[in-house]
């Protein structure tokens, strides 16, 4: 599923193209500006139309050279921006994978819940038949069979709701996979394998510092730091070198060498640009810190959900379901010989199958929490 997501997700494709575009900006950021060339005609009466010896033509070629390491600083800032763009794609990939895992869990859960309800309805039909036989023998009231039918109708209504939830999960999963919302999906063959690798919450949260969302903001901060240094270097002027020649008639009359220096006159504007770069650097560091805190909170919340749901599932599987099963089997045997009434049998059945449905719900919450924790841990197989 991960390979499909990476290949077909429009969001990841767009982020990948933006990362490539940012990579392509690295070389131009530190390249020399294009040189300039000029041709000047001098002389009376439209000299560009004259070809005699009275026409003077000046040729010049100029090249500006940024000094003081400005080109390398500009290239460094572009490198950090490209790295941030690539990390943004990695963060989006993690979130998208976690969303896809949660969507698949919802799809599996809805299908499994429908299967549990179908088993429960089938057991109610057996009880209904048993109640009908006992009514024919005069050992039970007709109300027992009717109550079994009413219970089945109630479960059929719940089954419709679960099927609706399953269709919603299919549409959501197809949307994440970049497929048509009504595209068919293979039925889930088994429980999704989403395991939390960390033994403790503190270990799981160690991956927050290396999370792409945090690292991206730090790369942006480094880019802002390089931009700030570049703005400080702009206090020192660049130079422009030029060469020229003067043509008189058909021969070169003279040549020239030019040196131009920028005058750093707009000091206030330059100081404001330096201030802007410093503020952007501080803002990026604050965003990195905020991203780290948000991820820690999200990880702690997901861990609590996963741990609580896991404990509930284990309790239901190891204790509640065996107890409810034994209670139902005892009530069923007692009802057959008339030792308990139908209400006791129906209550035992509801407790037993209700425990099975609670197990499925707890497993859904456990897997959902595990998907969120895995996104923090960085284990996205």
């Amino acid at each position: 599923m991960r390979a499909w997501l990476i290949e077909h997700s429009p969001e990841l494709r767009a982020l990948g193209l933006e990362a490539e575009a940012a990579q392509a900006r690295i070389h131009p950021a530190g390249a020399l500006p294009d040189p300039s060339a000029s041709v000047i005609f001098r002389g009376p009466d439209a000299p560009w139309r004259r070809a005699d010896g009275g026409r003077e033509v000046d040729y010049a070629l100029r090249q500006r050279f940024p000094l003081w390491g400005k080109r390398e600083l500009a290239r460094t800032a572009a490198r950090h921006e490209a790295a941030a763009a690539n990390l943004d794609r990695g963060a989006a990939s993690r979130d998208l994978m976690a969303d896809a895992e949660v969507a698949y869990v919802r799809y599996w859960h809805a299908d499994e819940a429908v299967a549990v309800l179908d088993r429960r309805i089938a057991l109610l039909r057996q009880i209904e038949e048993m109640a009908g036989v006992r009514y024919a023998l005069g050992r039970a009231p007709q109300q027992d069979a009717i109550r079994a039918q009413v219970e089945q109708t109630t479960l059929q209504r719940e089954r419709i709701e679960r099927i609706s939830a399953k269709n919603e999960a299919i549409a959501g999963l197809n949307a994440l996979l970049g497929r048509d919302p009504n595209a068919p999906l293979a039925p889930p063959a088994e429980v999704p394998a989403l395991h939390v690798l960390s033994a403790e919450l503190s270990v799981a949260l160690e991956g927050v510092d290396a999370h792409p969302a945090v690292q991206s903001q730090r790369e942006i901060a480094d880019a802002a730091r390089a931009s700030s240094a570049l703005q400080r270097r702009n206090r020192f002027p660049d130079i422009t070198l030029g060469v020229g020649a003067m043509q008189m008639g058909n021969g070169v009359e003279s040549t020239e060498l030019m040196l131009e220096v920028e005058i750093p006159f707009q000091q206030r504007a330059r100081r404001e640009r330096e201030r802007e770069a410093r503020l952007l650097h501080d803002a990026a560091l604050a965003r990195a810190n905020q991203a780290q805190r948000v991820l820690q909170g999200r990880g702690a919340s997901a861990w609590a959900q996963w741990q609580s749901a896991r404990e509930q599932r284990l309790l239901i599987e190891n204790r509640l379901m065996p107890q409810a099963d034994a209670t139902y089997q005892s009530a069923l045997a007692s009802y057959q010989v008339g030792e308990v009434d139908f209400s006791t049998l129906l209550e035992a059945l509801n407790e037993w199958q209700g425990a099975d449905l609670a197990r499925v719900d707890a497993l859904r919450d456990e897997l959902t929490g595990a998907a969120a924790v895995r996104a923090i841990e960085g284990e996205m197989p």
Side-chain angles (χ1 to χ4, degrees):
M1 182 170 65
R2 177 178 175 81
W4 178 280
L5 280 173
I6 294 176
E7 182 178 355
H8 294 86
S9 170
E11 180 183 3
L12 291 184
R13 190 180 312 119
L15 290 172
L17 293 173
E18 290 175 354
E20 291 183 14
Q23 190 72 25
R25 288 194 292 267
I26 295 177
H27 177 74
L32 285 172
D34 290 332
S36 62
S38 63
V39 178
I40 302 174
F41 297 91
R42 291 191 178 93
D45 301 328
W48 55 88
R49 296 179 180 175
R50 300 177 58 182
D52 58 17
R55 183 178 67 176
E56 177 183 337
V57 184
D58 292 339
Y59 302 95
L61 180 65
R62 294 179 176 84
Q63 173 67 61
R64 185 170 65 88
F65 293 92
L67 302 179
W68 324 106
K70 296 178 184 179
R71 293 170 57 197
E72 182 57 33
L73 284 172
R75 191 177 290 118
T76 299
R79 285 196 193 97
H80 288 301
E81 290 173 355
N86 192 54
L87 287 166
D88 286 340
R89 184 178 183 275
S93 177
R94 284 199 190 189
D95 291 341
L96 185 63
M97 189 64 189
D99 291 343
E101 289 177 344
V102 170
Y104 185 79
V105 168
R106 290 180 55 206
Y107 172 53
W108 165 85
H109 170 260
D111 187 75
E112 188 66 20
V114 169
V116 172
L117 291 174
D118 287 343
R119 290 195 297 269
R120 191 170 173 181
I121 291 172
L123 289 171
L124 280 170
R125 287 172 181 167
Q126 295 177 7
I127 291 177
E128 179 189 356
E129 293 176 359
M130 185 187 305
V133 171
R134 287 179 56 78
Y135 169 70
L137 296 176
R139 297 179 180 178
Q142 187 180 11
Q143 182 184 4
D144 289 358
I146 296 175
R147 287 189 62 188
Q149 294 173 359
V150 172
E151 192 71 18
Q152 290 177 57
T153 303
T154 301
L155 291 178
Q156 289 289 352
R157 181 177 61 84
E158 184 177 353
R159 186 177 187 276
I160 292 173
E161 294 177 354
R162 298 284 184 169
I163 291 178
S164 176
K166 179 179 178 180
N167 293 333
E168 291 178 6
I170 290 175
L173 184 56
N174 278 328
L176 287 170
L177 294 174
R179 306 171 74 226
D180 185 84
N182 297 320
L185 290 174
E190 56 186 9
V191 179
L194 301 178
H195 304 294
V196 173
L197 300 182
S198 303
E200 297 179 357
L201 174 60
S202 58
V203 178
L205 294 182
E206 289 179 357
V208 169
D209 190 62
H211 195 280
V214 177
Q215 293 298 319
S216 173
Q217 292 300 324
R218 290 177 177 166
E219 290 291 342
I220 292 175
D222 290 339
R225 183 186 297 111
S227 296
S228 179
L230 177 60
Q231 292 301 328
R232 289 194 299 273
R233 297 286 177 88
N234 283 335
R235 300 174 184 176
F236 306 102
D238 297 335
I239 65 171
T240 299
L241 297 178
V243 293
M246 184 182 69
Q247 177 183 349
M248 181 69 72
N250 295 324
V252 176
E253 183 72 15
S254 64
T255 59
E256 61 181 357
L257 176 65
M258 295 169 287
L259 172 64
E260 296 180 0
V261 179
E262 294 180 352
I263 301 176
F265 184 73
Q266 301 295 333
Q267 291 297 322
R268 181 176 179 182
R270 186 167 290 107
R271 284 194 297 269
E272 288 300 314
R273 286 193 290 269
E274 292 177 8
R275 178 171 174 268
E276 176 193 9
R278 289 194 303 269
L279 291 174
L280 289 176
H281 172 255
D282 294 341
L285 288 178
R287 286 197 179 94
N289 184 60
Q290 174 64 12
Q292 188 173 10
R293 295 293 179 265
V294 169
L295 287 171
Q296 287 175 342
R298 189 190 305 172
S301 177
W303 181 277
Q305 176 185 344
W306 168 77
Q307 189 175 49
S308 174
R310 181 172 179 271
E311 292 175 356
Q312 292 183 45
R313 177 183 61 82
L314 293 175
L315 180 64
I316 293 171
E317 288 180 350
N318 298 330
R319 299 187 61 182
L320 183 57
M321 286 196 65
Q323 294 169 352
D325 183 23
T327 300
Y328 170 71
Q329 297 299 333
S330 176
L332 180 62
S334 299
Y335 179 74
Q336 289 175 338
V337 297
E339 293 182 357
V340 298
D341 57 12
F342 187 78
S343 296
T344 302
L345 176 61
L346 189 59
E347 181 180 355
L349 174 62
N350 289 337
E351 289 179 354
W352 177 38
Q353 291 301 302
D356 196 14
L357 193 58
R359 175 191 63 83
V360 174
D361 291 343
L363 185 53
R364 173 203 58 197
D365 295 340
E366 178 184 353
L367 293 172
T368 300
V373 173
R374 284 154 54 88
I376 302 298
E377 289 179 317
E379 294 292 337
M380 308 297 291

